[in-house]
Amino acid sequence: MASCSRKLPRISDKISSPSASVIANNNDLLIPILLYLPVRSLIVFKCVSKGWSSLISDPLFIRKYTIQARLSSPGLFLLKLSYADNFAYEFIRLDGKKVNGGVPLKFLNFVNDAPGLKIDGSCNGLICCSSFRCAPTSDETYYIYNPSTNRYKSILKFEHQPNSLVSVRSVSVAFNPLISPHYKVVFVWEVGKDQLQIEIFDLQTATWKVSGKPFRGHNDSFRRSGVFWNGSLHWINATKFGKWISLSNSFGYFDMEQELLMEMPVPPTPDIDEGYDRRIGYFGAYKGCLHLIPIYNHYSTCFEILEMDNNYRSLHGVEFSILLVREEDKEEESNLVIHIPGKIICYKFKDMSFITTHNLSPNPIGEESLHYRWFYAHQYIESLAIV
C-alpha cells in the first residue's frame, strides 16, 4: 500500500483559465474538491489529461476517497427469482437518489460470456461473478468486477490433479480498501465426500495458494459466499429447510492474515415457546459491523417475530425478508431495509417507524410472493478500487 507520507502526483498540464490553473496545480486545493465528487464524475475527469488520470488513479488518493465515502452502501443488486434460463437483477438505491446510467440494472453484461453471469458475492465495492451454470464446477470462469468503474479481471483457473473430483462449494472476496488496495479471492472446494479445501487466489500476483489441509464440512456448510468482517471471512453453519435456512450454533470463520479456519459460537438468543423454529433472518456486514438476526417462525402459522434490541417488534400477518442492516453514524439514522410483497420498506430504529422506499417491478413468480432474500441481496458501494 502506498505510504501516507508520499506526495500525490502534481498536475502539470496547461489550463487556459488562470484560476483553474492555480487549482489544477495545487493539490491542497484540488484534492478536497475531488474527494466530494461521485465516482462517475471522477471517471470522466480521468479523461481530461494524463495528470488528472494519474492523480485519480493514485492508490493514496483512492484511499483518501474511500475514507471520505465511509464505505456506505447506496444500493443493492437484488437477484430476481424466476423460471428464466439466466439471472436477472433489480437495482435499487438506498440513498434517495434516482437510478441513472453507469450501473447495470438487469443483466451483468460487462463481458461477453455466452452462458450469462451471476453474482456470487460482494465486498466493499467489488463483486465476484461467475458464468451461469446449474451447478458450480471446476471449469467455471470467475470474474472480479467493479461496477462503478466498469472494470473487471478474470481469475485464472487452478490446475488440479488429473481425475481429481473437485467442484466449487463457494467463492468469496476479502477486500478492505482502508488497509490495502489489494484483494484476494477465497475458494472453498469439495475434494471428496464431506471433505473441503480452502485455496486462495491472490490478484496482485495472479497465483494460487492451497491453505491448510482438507477439513470436514457437512453438505450444507460453506454453500454461500463468506461475509468479510474484521479481517476474516465468516460463514454461518446452516442447513436448508424449505425456503428458509435454519440456524445452527456456530460460525465458521477464516482469518485471512493467519490463514486459519476457526469456529465462533453464535450469540445467545432468548428462549422461545416450543413450536417455534429459529431461523436466519439476516446475516451480513455493514460499515464495520457484523449482524445476525434470527427469526422465530411457528410451524402452523405465518406469524413471524423479529428480534431487535432485545425487544420484540412484529409484522403481523405480513411475510417479509430483511435485505440489509444499516448501522449509521450519530448524524444519520440506523435502519433495516425490508422486503414485503411488491415493496421495499425502511424501518427506522430511532422512532420505530416504517416508510416505503421503492415499489418493485412485477414478480414473475407471483405478486404475493417474496422474490428477494438476504442471501440474494448484494451491496453496491461506489468505489475507485483498481481490479
Side-chain angles (χ1 to χ4, degrees), residues 235-238 247-253 263-267 278:
W235 294 266
I236 192 73
N237 292 328
L247 180 63
S248 70
N249 296 317
S250 66
F251 294 99
Y253 72 98
E263 268 196 345
M264 179 171 67
V266 169
R278 184 180 68 163

Side-chain angles (χ1 to χ4, degrees), residues 239-308:
T239 55
K240 295 181 179 180
F241 186 88
K243 63 183 179 180
W244 296 96
I245 298 180
S246 62
L247 180 63
S248 70
N249 296 317
S250 66
F251 294 99
Y253 72 98
F254 181 71
D255 187 299
M256 292 298 301
E257 183 176 353
Q258 302 182 66
E259 292 191 19
L260 291 177
L261 183 64
M262 295 173 279
E263 268 196 345
M264 179 171 67
V266 169
T269 53
D271 292 331
I272 299 297
D273 294 339
E274 186 176 354
Y276 282 88
D277 186 31
R278 184 180 68 163
R279 320 249 178 174
I280 301 174
Y282 176 80
F283 180 55
Y286 185 84
K287 289 178 66 172
C289 296
L290 184 67
H291 302 99
L292 171 64
I293 299 181
I295 286 181
Y296 299 90
N297 182 55
H298 196 282
Y299 291 118
S300 60
T301 71
C302 63
F303 177 74
E304 296 161 358
I305 300 175
L306 174 65
E307 183 203 2
M308 294 182 295

Side-chain angles (χ1 to χ4, degrees), residues 79-89 107 362-366 371:
L79 172 64
K80 287 187 174 182
L81 299 182
S82 68
Y83 303 109
D85 294 332
N86 203 346
F87 286 99
Y89 292 88
F107 298 101
N363 184 356
I365 61 175
H371 49 304

Side-chain angles (χ1 to χ4, degrees), residues 14-34:
K14 293 183 179 180
I15 308 294
S16 57
S17 169
S19 58
S21 179
V22 171
I23 296 176
N25 289 282
N26 188 329
N27 284 352
D28 292 336
L29 296 176
L30 179 62
I31 292 174
I33 297 173
L34 296 179

Side-chain angles (χ1 to χ4, degrees), residues 49-104:
S49 68
K50 292 182 179 179
W52 283 69
S53 179
S54 178
L55 172 64
I56 297 171
S57 301
D58 188 273
L60 181 54
F61 175 82
I62 293 176
R63 184 176 185 274
K64 288 177 177 288
Y65 188 87
T66 301
I67 295 173
Q68 177 70 33
R70 296 179 297 171
L71 296 178
S72 296
S73 179
L76 291 174
F77 289 98
L78 304 176
L79 172 64
K80 287 187 174 182
L81 299 182
S82 68
Y83 303 109
D85 294 332
N86 203 346
F87 286 99
Y89 292 88
E90 183 161 351
F91 180 77
I92 64 169
R93 293 201 70 99
L94 304 173
D95 54 9
K97 299 178 181 179
K98 293 183 179 180
V99 175
N100 49 27
V103 177

